[in-house]
């Protein structure tokens, strides 16, 4: 976003930039809920975007436009070609600065941030605290749907930032790979029936995404606190490669973003996560506490 390209910006910073011609503000909200029957309900955030959004912001539909609908798991990252088309359509491309936000705790904005990084685009940041932080600061909102100024997005795919199920299986027991589960502790331990099979990937540790944000504001904890959490877990050790996972790659992207805020920008995301891992009966799962 500037000479240092931070991956997180404040509401105050963004307000000062409003109106800049090269700035693209993107609402990436998705509404995901789990009814009592255990199913997953996914609803794009266009309706809530139309109710209120940051002035000048465009809407990006992560579920419809930025995902691979031929993949068995929802929200699987789109191909480079599909992603380039979707990004260009909302105005993301060469010469543009991008600020991403959502109407929750930043987890959806972080997902699009990671996908941009995966396709070689670094001039993007997440609005810390999202729309709630913007409104709490007293800044205006709009209900006007913004027509994007299209751009040309050229993908430069970084395969080192994503992992497949086969690659995760091959890395089990590898001391140079640190697999990190971003889900809540109960799901990690196998106490929640959220997936076809319970538990976590063998050897993986648990750093819940919820522990990295202030529950009252949705903002990431200060960088010093994040570094303390990650250092204690061994995730800042330069001799290991962190790989994050969750249920479907969303919280894992949030964890990767938080690690970048703490200074670790080479984190890979297991995109299929437990949706893919638990679907294969031959792949092992472990129930119980964090091995640390």
């Amino acid at each position: 976003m500037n000479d240092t390209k931070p991956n997180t910006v404040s509401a105050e910073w963004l307000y000062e930039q409003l109106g800049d011609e090269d700035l693209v503000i993107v609402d990436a909200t998705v509404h995901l809920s789990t009814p009592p029957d255990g199913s997953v309900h996914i609803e794009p955030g266009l309706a809530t975007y139309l109710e209120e959004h940051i002035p000048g912001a465009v809407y990006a539909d992560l579920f419809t436009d930025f995902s691979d609908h031929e993949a068995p798991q929802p929200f699987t990252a789109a191909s480079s070609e599909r992603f380039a088309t979707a990004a260009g359509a909302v105005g993301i491309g060469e010469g543009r600065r991008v600020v991403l936000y959502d109407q929750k705790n930043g987890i959806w904005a972080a997902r699009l941030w990671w996908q941009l990084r995966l396709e070689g685009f670094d001039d993007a940041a997440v609005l810390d605290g999202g729309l709630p932080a913007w409104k709490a600061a007293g800044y205006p909102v709009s209900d006007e749907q913004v027509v994007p100024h299209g751009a040309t997005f050229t993908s430069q795919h970084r395969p080192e930032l994503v992992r497949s199920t086969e690659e995760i299986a091959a890395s089990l027991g590898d001391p140079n790979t640190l697999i990190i589960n971003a889900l809540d502790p109960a799901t990690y331990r196998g106490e929640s029936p959220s997936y076809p099979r319970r538990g976590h990937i063998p050897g993986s540790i648990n750093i819940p995404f919820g522990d990295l944000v202030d529950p009252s504001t949705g903002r990431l904890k200060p960088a010093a606190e994040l570094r303390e959490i990650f250092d204690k877990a061994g995730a800042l050790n330069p001799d290991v490669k962190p790989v994050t996972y969750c249920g479907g790659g969303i919280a894992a992207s949030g964890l990767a973003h938080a690690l970048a805020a703490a200074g670790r920008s080479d984190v890979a995301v297991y995109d299929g996560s437990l949706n893919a891992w638990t679907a294969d009966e031959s792949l092992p799962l472990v129930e119980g506490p964090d091995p640390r």
Side-chain angles (χ1 to χ4, degrees), residues 17 67 69 73 116 119 126 135 140 156 224 227 230 233 245 263:
Q17 311 297 314
S67 298
H69 293 280
Q73 289 82 37
L116 285 165
E119 299 303 336
V126 172
K135 293 169 64 177
Q156 297 179 340
R227 282 193 290 270
F230 294 136
Y245 77 100

Side-chain angles (χ1 to χ4, degrees), residues 92-94 96 98 116-117 119-124 153 158:
I92 301 175
E94 185 178 352
R96 304 282 173 89
V98 180
L116 285 165
R117 289 257 307 141
E119 299 303 336
F121 188 91
D122 293 327
D123 213 349
F153 186 96
R158 292 168 168 153

Side-chain angles (χ1 to χ4, degrees), residues 174-180 230 233-243 264 266-267:
D174 177 5
N176 296 317
T177 301
L178 179 66
I179 306 175
I180 309 173
F230 294 136
L236 301 184
N237 181 349
D239 294 329
V240 302
K241 177 64 178 284
V243 180
R264 191 77 198 245
D266 62 340
V267 180

Side-chain angles (χ1 to χ4, degrees), residues 39-286:
S39 62
V40 176
H41 180 68
I42 299 168
E43 182 182 352
L46 178 59
T48 47
Y49 162 83
L50 291 174
E51 290 176 5
E52 58 175 8
H53 54 263
I54 294 173
V58 299
Y59 178 72
D61 190 334
L62 298 192
F63 180 63
T64 303
D65 298 331
F66 289 86
S67 298
D68 179 0
H69 293 280
E70 295 182 1
Q73 289 82 37
F75 293 108
T76 298
S79 66
S80 295
E81 295 75 18
R82 180 179 176 88
F83 184 88
T85 298
V90 297
I92 301 175
E94 185 178 352
R96 304 282 173 89
R97 298 178 298 153
V98 180
V99 173
L100 311 158
Y101 77 92
D102 57 43
Q103 299 182 22
K104 300 183 182 295
N105 60 4
I107 200 166
W108 296 104
R111 174 63 178 183
L112 187 50
W113 170 88
W114 172 73
Q115 286 189 263
L116 285 165
R117 289 257 307 141
L118 179 63
E119 299 303 336
F121 188 91
D122 293 327
D123 213 349
V126 172
L127 173 61
D128 201 17
L131 188 64
W134 177 268
K135 293 169 64 177
Y139 297 135
V141 294
S142 171
D143 60 2
E144 177 184 358
Q145 185 169 10
V146 178
V147 178
H149 296 289
T152 299
F153 186 96
T154 302
S155 292
Q156 297 179 340
H157 189 69
R158 292 168 168 153
E160 70 275 12
L161 295 183
V162 66
R163 289 290 184 275
S164 67
T165 299
E166 293 74 20
E167 288 170 325
I168 294 295
S171 71
L172 296 184
D174 177 5
N176 296 317
T177 301
L178 179 66
I179 306 175
I180 309 173
N181 181 307
L183 295 172
D184 63 279
T187 302
Y188 170 87
R189 291 192 298 264
E191 299 165 5
S192 170
S194 301
Y195 302 96
R197 296 187 294 137
R198 301 189 186 199
H200 55 269
I201 296 173
S204 65
I205 66 171
N206 187 210
I207 304 180
F209 176 74
D211 289 354
L212 308 177
V213 296
D214 184 325
S216 63
T217 65
R219 293 177 177 148
L220 276 178
K221 291 182 176 179
E225 291 185 31
L226 294 176
R227 282 193 290 270
E228 182 177 356
I229 293 170
F230 294 136
D231 189 46
K232 185 177 180 180
L236 301 184
N237 181 349
D239 294 329
V240 302
K241 177 64 178 284
V243 180
T244 64
Y245 77 100
C246 55
I250 308 303
S253 299
L255 180 53
H257 175 256
L259 273 159
R264 191 77 198 245
S265 61
D266 62 340
V267 180
V269 170
Y270 172 25
D271 200 30
S273 287
L274 285 179
N275 284 335
W277 191 269
T278 59
D280 186 339
E281 294 283 348
S282 71
L283 296 174
L285 284 165
V286 175

